[in-house]
Amino acid sequence: LPEKKREIIYLYFFGNYTQQEIADLYGHCKSTAWHYIHSAFEQGAVVRMGITVCRPKNDRISLSDMI
């Protein structure tokens, strides 16, 4: 993954940032942050990074939304 996508994935899963917080940090809209997270799942990058999906917190994302 490109560095920016890796940063976003780490912020989301390990930094407990919401999609909105990530979007604000990078100057994007919330849907762009979601796109980066979702595309990482589609590419299998999140699994290769060893991240287990267990994080709906405030964003209310289910595993079925990501597959």
Side-chain angles (χ1 to χ4, degrees), residues 7-52:
E7 288 174 0
I8 288 172
I9 296 301
Y10 279 108
L11 288 172
Y12 185 72
F13 287 101
F14 298 112
N16 290 318
Y17 281 67
T18 65
Q19 291 175 24
Q20 188 61 58
E21 290 169 331
I22 293 168
D24 293 344
L25 186 65
Y26 285 92
H28 295 299
C29 62
K30 183 178 176 181
S31 63
T32 301
W34 163 244
H35 172 75
Y36 283 137
I37 295 164
H38 181 72
S39 67
F41 273 96
E42 286 180 334
Q43 295 171 9
V46 173
V47 173
R48 289 191 304 271
M49 292 169 69
I51 299 172
T52 304

Side-chain angles (χ1 to χ4, degrees), residues 49-67:
M49 292 169 69
I51 299 172
T52 304
V53 178
C54 59
R55 157 141 193 189
K57 197 181 171 189
N58 296 331
D59 294 331
R60 306 284 184 234
I61 298 173
S62 69
L63 181 57
S64 61
D65 291 334
M66 295 184 246
I67 296 176

